[in-house]
Amino acid sequence: MPFGAGSSPDILARIVNDRLAPRLGQPVIVENRAGAGGNAGTDVVAKANPDGYTFLLSVNAPLVYNTVLYRNLPYDPFRDLAPVSLAATTPNVCAVNAQTGIDSVKGWLDALRRNPGKYNFASTGNGSIAHLGVELVKAKTQSFAVHIPYASSAQAVTALVQGDVQFACLPPVTVMPQVKAGKLKALAVTSAQRSALLPDLPTLRESGLPDIQAVPWFAYMAPRDTPRPVVERMSREIAAVLAEPEVRQRLLGAYFDPVGGTPEQLAAFMREELQRWKPVIERAGLKPD
């Protein structure tokens, strides 16, 4: 787990592991190795012994985007890791600290334009979808805010609640409890269409930003030379767990949309993500810091 405890991928892993362990007939232990926007823990697995006992649950940036953002990435996810299964997606929620008085996307963007540099925003690390999504908003609206990266979505939301930053676009599993508590104001989701998990929130597209779509996804990977039968079995077991009604209900309750799929489908999906985001990152001149 290349992110901290309480982060959205960590929560997803622990929900799945409750049912994955008995299917495998042995414990499944989550080892949190946070740092470098997910690169550190992802690199650990890329260099791990491919004996079938080490797997990775990572996200967009360490598995795709950082190959474009970083000149000296210590691993190549397309070469050093074996795809296992896409696990889930979730829409990020753009939210502001309730004390800002901002209550709409229009008000948020107007505030950024009027006050360049006054506002800070949190992300789950340099190059994360929480970072790139806001950078695209800034580029499209010709506005400026200071990026403050954190090791996990839980830490980023804590900073937002405390007022260390004024806004962020983060996974709903960490944002929505603070929205319900009245400490944050949710403005929009970053998905292309309204989310069935959050039907009352408009999309950024609906709110006047038609070219913004930035959705976190979560995928299981293994060291490159992990035996193929092991990879295929793990993929089947994960898909079976994700299809269990109780697991689906728990995941939907935490704002995850379960996916599943074969190693081949995940490999194709990662290539599509690279083709879609590489020109966007290069055109916008986005940097990891």
Side-chain angles (χ1 to χ4, degrees):
M1 173 56 54
F3 298 95
S7 62
S8 52
D10 181 77
I11 292 169
L12 171 64
R14 295 177 192 277
I15 292 174
V16 173
N17 284 359
D18 283 350
R19 294 297 305 146
L20 187 59
R23 294 188 69 91
L24 296 175
Q26 63 186 52
V28 181
I29 299 169
V30 177
E31 182 179 352
N32 298 94
R33 297 289 291 269
N39 290 348
T42 302
D43 185 47
V44 168
V45 177
K47 294 178 171 60
N49 181 5
D51 59 4
Y53 288 92
T54 300
F55 290 85
L56 171 76
L57 178 60
S58 197
V59 299
N60 316 43
L63 295 181
V64 175
Y65 310 154
N66 289 354
T67 63
V68 184
L69 287 160
Y70 288 82
R71 290 184 178 179
N72 298 306
L73 200 63
Y75 62 91
D76 182 340
F78 294 92
R79 182 193 66 207
D80 301 330
L81 292 167
V84 178
S85 176
L86 189 63
T89 63
T90 187
N92 268 350
V93 174
C94 295
V96 295
N97 185 295
Q99 294 184 356
T100 63
I102 296 170
D103 62 3
S104 67
V105 172
K106 182 180 184 303
W108 169 41
L109 299 180
D110 287 346
L112 293 185
R113 292 191 189 98
R114 289 196 309 266
N115 304 281
K118 176 181 177 181
Y119 294 97
N120 300 332
F121 74 95
S123 82
T124 49
N126 290 321
S128 65
I129 196 67
H131 175 205
L132 297 186
V134 175
E135 292 292 348
L136 283 176
V137 169
K138 288 164 56 178
K140 294 293 182 182
T141 59
Q142 297 184 328
S143 58
F144 179 72
V146 179
H147 174 222
I148 310 294
Y150 292 88
S152 71
S153 53
Q155 292 180 16
V157 165
T158 297
L160 184 55
V161 169
Q162 292 175 343
D164 299 330
V165 298
Q166 287 72 49
F167 72 93
C169 296
L170 296 167
V173 67
T174 50
V175 172
M176 294 310 295
Q178 301 300 332
V179 171
K180 292 175 181 177
K183 297 178 180 179
L184 302 180
K185 172 67 177 178
L187 304 178
V189 292
T190 60
S191 48
Q193 292 85 32
R194 288 204 183 202
S195 170
L197 305 175
L198 297 160
D200 295 333
L201 284 180
T203 66
L204 288 175
R205 288 182 171 188
E206 289 178 70
S207 305
L209 293 168
D211 297 329
I212 305 295
Q213 178 185 346
V215 176
W217 48 266
F218 310 84
Y220 283 90
M221 309 287 287
R224 179 186 60 188
D225 293 326
T226 300
R228 183 67 184 183
V230 173
V231 170
E232 291 176 348
R233 182 191 174 192
M234 183 64 83
S235 180
R236 291 194 302 270
E237 299 290 7
I238 291 168
V241 168
L242 293 174
E244 291 184 11
E246 182 181 347
V247 173
R248 288 186 61 84
Q249 192 62 33
R250 289 183 65 191
L251 290 174
L252 292 171
Y255 305 101
F256 294 108
D257 187 9
V259 181
T262 66
E264 292 76 17
Q265 288 170 329
L266 174 55
F269 175 76
M270 288 172 60
R271 290 193 296 269
E272 291 168 2
E273 278 283 280
L274 180 61
Q275 292 170 2
R276 186 166 76 88
W277 276 94
K278 183 177 181 180
V280 172
I281 292 168
E282 293 176 340
R283 185 169 58 247
L286 302 180
K287 303 296 181 182
D289 52 25

